[in-house]
Amino acid sequence: MADTFQRARNEEQRAVRRRAILDTAAAMLGEMPVSQVSLNELSRRVGLAKSNVLRYFESREAVLLELLATASQELLDHLDTALPQAVDADAPVSERTDRVAATMADALAARPVLCDLISAQAAVLERNVSTQVAAEYKRAGIAQAFALAHLARVHVPELGERDSVRFAAGALLTATAAWPHAHPSAAVLAVYESEPELAVLRIDFATALRESLEVLLSGLLARASR
């Protein structure tokens, strides 16, 4: 396909191209899961030949990793406002931990694109990128994980620094595992419809995540008290 864009001549124009690619990929994720986002379709929608998309991002996965980093930061910005509104600093620790868990679970459940990207991160998105892209993403991811740990510790200082990091890591791992189980394939959904007894272990994402985070926080606090 011939480009609808003229070739970028300076950094400002390159930034415009990159932004167009990212915005188009983000729009596609609003319509389809990560697994269905292809470089061919992305190129078609953005109006660039696939080879020219690859001038700005080395792979489909590099595009999606950048979107994941952006979506993760947006979640942190939201929690920075939502947690103080939800958690009473003078409440007992058990109540504060439950409110932290509920607020985080609700925030993630309200961001299906982020959850889909998180669930694909290790198994898919990190498999077709260069060492440089992987290092850049990991630096951003580590900074964001520590920021999440800090937000939790502000409202549950009983955790301590080490356990707040454990909580943040555990929360992300739990979300990664729970999302695909809460959103089964069409074939599995058809089975649940025809044989309801087989849906006994089907989970609701927000509920399962909230309950898991409550248990994780309670367990960390119990160990700390020993």
Side-chain angles (χ1 to χ4, degrees):
M1 176 181 293
D3 289 0
T4 58
F5 288 138
Q6 296 179 355
R7 176 170 295 184
R9 301 296 183 184
N10 54 49
E11 285 305 311
E12 182 178 356
Q13 291 175 339
R14 286 184 60 81
V16 170
R17 305 295 187 274
R18 285 178 59 87
R19 187 71 263 159
I21 293 167
L22 289 169
D23 289 346
T24 301
M28 291 174 68
L29 287 171
E31 303 171 14
M32 61 189 75
V34 168
S35 60
Q36 294 180 14
V37 175
S38 70
L39 187 58
N40 284 336
E41 179 63 9
L42 174 60
S43 301
R44 186 189 71 79
R45 292 196 185 195
V46 82
L48 287 171
K50 183 165 70 172
S51 60
N52 285 333
V53 171
L54 295 175
R55 293 176 183 271
Y56 301 100
F57 294 93
E58 65 183 33
S59 64
R60 175 194 81 120
E61 289 75 15
V63 176
L64 297 176
L65 279 178
E66 186 153 337
L67 288 178
L68 173 53
T70 299
S72 297
Q73 185 59 52
E74 190 277 330
L75 172 69
L76 289 171
D77 293 342
H78 167 78
L79 290 174
D80 193 33
T81 299
L83 283 171
Q85 295 174 348
V87 183
D88 180 356
D90 297 323
V93 65
S94 60
E95 181 179 329
R96 284 184 278 118
T97 55
D98 284 355
R99 293 306 302 157
V100 167
T103 303
M104 288 182 58
D106 289 345
L108 281 162
R111 291 164 173 77
V113 169
L114 172 58
C115 293
D116 197 22
L117 287 166
I118 289 173
S119 69
Q121 175 193 332
V124 178
L125 303 187
E126 295 179 357
R127 301 293 174 173
N128 187 31
V129 293
S130 65
T131 301
Q132 178 182 349
V133 168
E136 290 173 356
Y137 172 73
K138 286 300 182 183
R139 291 188 189 99
I142 289 170
Q144 289 170 339
F146 275 87
L148 181 60
H150 172 74
L151 289 175
R153 191 181 178 197
V154 166
H155 302 285
V156 189
E158 294 88 345
L159 277 176
E161 184 173 359
R162 183 181 182 187
D163 282 341
S164 67
V165 174
R166 287 176 170 173
F167 169 68
L172 295 173
L173 286 173
T174 302
T176 297
W179 183 256
H181 284 285
H183 298 82
S185 68
V188 173
L189 287 173
V191 169
Y192 290 162
E193 183 71 21
S194 62
E195 300 181 61
E197 67 276 10
L198 297 181
V200 63
L201 295 180
R202 186 178 180 185
I203 65 171
D204 173 75
F205 177 75
T207 301
L209 183 58
R210 174 179 53 77
E211 292 175 347
S212 296
L213 297 186
E214 290 172 354
V215 171
L216 178 58
L217 283 167
S218 298
L220 288 169
L221 289 170
R223 289 175 62 88
S225 69
R226 297 208 303 262

